[in-house]
Amino acid sequence: MVLSDAERLTLENWARRRSTAQGLAQRAQIVLACVRGWNNTAVAARLGIELKAVGRWRSRFLRDRLQGLCDEPRCGVARTITDAQVEEVVVRTLEETPEGATHWSKRELATRVGICALSVLRIWRAFGLEPWRTETFKISPDPMLIEKTRDVVGLYLAPPANAVVFAVDEKPQIQALERTAPVLPMLPGTPERRSFDYVWHHGRPVRRPEHRHRQGNREAVRPAPGGRLP
């Protein structure tokens, strides 16, 4: 077996480099050992592999040279999802919402695109999309926000003895659609973000909810940051 200078350099690089696939590195070692004049039995014993493996890769190299050492295409299930369908899933997730819902479910989107729900979930994972997640934020102009927050949170984390805390808020059945700040849309790897409070349209002044702390005959009323109460 005779090698050209280019073939020898390529085989030595394949056998020596750590980034080379393990199977390809072993095939390169087989060919280099055969070039030294060793027979198949000696090569198999030296490398600790089966005799028929040495014969197979020696024959393939003699027939196809370096290309014969590379993995051949293997049979398998043909791809059933096209690039256009993948693009449609991503675009609809980012730019559309189904009627009567706040975001797509994997089953609804799968029905619309014409693929299975598991495929939709895999595409979401590949692009870092999580339409069911929503993060909240609040930008407050109140200069005393930190002090008020600590005051209110302290009632929950370390309440005085015999204390009762009442938290008054809006009805949870009412869905907030018009937020006080623009909704930040979902991006690949980043969920949708929106402020937790929303605009009131009752036509009368509103005030913030109050957290009441009662102990004995004393009552402390502390405003909760960012809340409202009609």
Side-chain angles (χ1 to χ4, degrees):
M1 183 182 295
V2 180
L3 299 177
S4 66
D5 293 339
E7 288 176 337
R8 181 181 295 275
L9 180 60
T10 300
L11 290 171
E12 290 176 349
N13 288 335
W14 285 353
R16 190 170 52 237
R17 290 175 56 186
R18 295 182 179 179
S19 59
T20 304
Q22 185 66 26
L24 183 59
Q26 188 180 74
R27 297 164 203 166
Q29 293 172 0
I30 292 173
V31 175
L32 291 173
C34 292
V35 171
R36 295 188 183 100
W38 299 350
N39 58 30
N40 291 357
T41 303
V43 173
R46 182 64 179 269
L47 299 180
I49 58 179
E50 295 182 358
L51 181 61
K52 62 180 181 180
V54 177
R56 178 172 64 251
W57 294 114
R58 179 196 286 264
S59 300
R60 285 186 56 173
F61 181 80
L62 291 174
R63 184 184 69 234
D64 301 321
R65 310 306 290 180
L66 293 177
Q67 292 296 329
L69 301 182
C70 300
D71 289 324
E72 295 179 344
R74 300 181 180 179
C75 60
V77 179
R79 182 181 176 188
T80 59
I81 301 177
T82 64
D83 291 340
Q85 289 175 314
V86 174
E87 181 181 1
E88 183 178 1
V89 169
V90 175
V91 171
R92 287 186 182 275
T93 303
L94 293 175
E95 300 180 3
E96 299 179 8
T97 55
E99 184 178 357
T102 58
H103 64 272
W104 287 101
S105 70
K106 61 181 180 182
R107 292 179 177 83
E108 289 177 326
L109 189 53
T111 302
R112 179 65 63 87
V113 178
I115 59 179
C116 67
L118 182 58
S119 297
V120 172
L121 186 59
R122 288 173 177 168
I123 295 172
W124 281 348
R125 288 176 179 173
F127 286 86
L129 300 175
E130 297 176 311
W132 60 89
R133 286 189 56 195
T134 300
E135 293 182 352
T136 58
F137 70 93
K138 175 61 180 177
I139 302 176
S140 175
D142 190 347
M144 301 295 293
L145 175 64
I146 296 179
E147 290 76 6
K148 292 177 180 179
T149 301
R150 289 175 177 171
D151 196 15
V152 173
V153 173
L155 291 175
Y156 291 89
L157 298 181
N162 301 322
V164 178
V165 178
F166 296 90
V168 182
D169 204 347
E170 295 84 11
K171 295 180 179 180
Q173 294 85 356
I174 300 177
Q175 187 178 19
L177 297 179
E178 188 175 354
R179 304 283 175 167
T180 56
V183 176
L184 303 179
M186 174 178 51
L187 297 172
T190 304
E192 181 184 87
R193 291 157 293 168
R194 60 178 64 191
S195 61
F196 64 83
D197 55 347
Y198 55 95
V199 178
W200 285 64
H201 298 284
H202 294 294
R204 54 178 177 173
V206 298
R207 61 188 179 90
R208 299 155 65 184
E210 297 174 342
H211 290 247
R212 297 182 178 272
H213 157 55
R214 183 186 299 273
Q215 183 175 9
N217 294 327
R218 300 176 58 189
E219 181 179 76
V221 178
R222 306 177 186 275
R228 291 175 176 173
L229 181 68

